[in-house]
């Protein structure tokens, strides 16, 4: 059994959290155009949109390395503007037994929560990935403010 962890970070978004949520929920395929140096592609493998049960694949560049993350959408709550993504394949599972990403947006904030179980105690906390998603959020904000 590995070591469980939880990281939470919020970033202020001047464009409004509802617009950021809209990008992640209904216009996810645009993210690779908004920040192409970070996100190479987003594909839906099962399902038609980002909804519960959809299986998606991200190709991204994290800390100078090309990576892949396959995820299933576990929950979407339009009231709280929250999406829960469970990682089911890709690079993260080389280091972690489980990894869940939760995005939630309110009036002026986007919050990222990582729930994970490291395979060993020596595995680092996913702080670089947390910084990465915060930068993606700021890229989306900049795009929306244009």
């Amino acid at each position: 059994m590995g070591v469980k962890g939880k990281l939470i970070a919020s970033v202020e978004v001047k464009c409004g959290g509802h617009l950021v949520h809209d990008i992640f929920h209904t216009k996810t395929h645009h993210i690779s155009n908004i920040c192409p140096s970070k996100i190479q592609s987003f594909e839906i493998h099962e399902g038609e949109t980002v909804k519960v049960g959809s299986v998606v694949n991200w190709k991204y560049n994290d800390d100078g390395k090309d990576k892949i993350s396959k995820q299933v959408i576990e929950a979407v709550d339009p009231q709280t503007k929250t999406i829960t993504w469970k990682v089911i394949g890709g690079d993260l599972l080389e280091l972690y037994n489980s990894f869940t990403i939760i995005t939630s947006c309110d009036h002026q904030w986007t919050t990222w929560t990582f729930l994970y179980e490291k395979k060993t105690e020596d595995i680092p906390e996913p702080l670089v990935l947390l910084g990465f998603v915060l930068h993606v959020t700021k890229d989306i904000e900049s795009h929306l403010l244009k």
Side-chain angles (χ1 to χ4, degrees):
M1 187 101 162
V3 178
K4 292 184 179 186
K6 181 178 185 177
L7 288 175
I8 302 172
S10 296
V11 63
E12 183 178 20
V13 287
K14 294 176 178 71
C15 61
H18 65 288
L19 293 175
V20 174
H21 173 74
D22 187 48
I23 294 284
F24 279 106
H25 186 224
T26 62
K27 298 177 181 143
T28 319
H29 56 284
H30 289 297
I31 295 174
S32 61
N33 296 327
I34 294 169
C35 46
S37 67
K38 295 178 182 80
I39 306 290
Q40 281 77 45
S41 69
F42 170 81
E43 298 173 354
I44 298 175
H45 285 281
E46 293 177 29
E48 296 175 18
T49 60
V50 175
K51 63 182 183 178
V52 174
S54 294
V55 176
V56 301
N57 194 56
W58 296 87
K59 290 183 182 176
Y60 62 102
N61 189 293
D62 179 24
D63 202 25
K65 298 175 186 141
D66 289 339
K67 298 188 177 181
I68 295 173
S69 181
K70 186 174 185 180
Q71 303 165 351
V72 63
I73 309 302
E74 287 195 322
V76 177
D77 187 336
Q79 300 288 26
T80 61
K81 297 186 181 8
T82 302
I83 304 172
T84 303
W85 320 72
K86 181 178 181 175
V87 177
I88 59 172
D91 295 284
L92 285 171
L93 295 184
E94 292 175 10
L95 301 173
Y96 303 94
N97 290 325
S98 64
F99 205 100
T100 300
I101 301 166
I102 303 166
T103 59
S104 60
C105 306
D106 64 20
H107 300 293
Q108 296 298 321
W109 295 92
T110 296
T111 301
W112 290 87
T113 303
F114 291 171
L115 304 170
Y116 53 91
E117 181 181 332
K118 299 191 274 183
K119 288 191 174 187
T120 67
E121 288 184 28
D122 299 339
I123 301 294
E125 306 302 325
L127 295 171
V128 172
L129 182 62
L130 187 60
F132 172 84
V133 297
L134 294 174
H135 285 291
V136 168
T137 304
K138 295 306 274 183
D139 287 351
I140 291 169
E141 174 193 41
S142 295
H143 171 77
L144 291 169
L145 289 173
K146 286 182 184 176

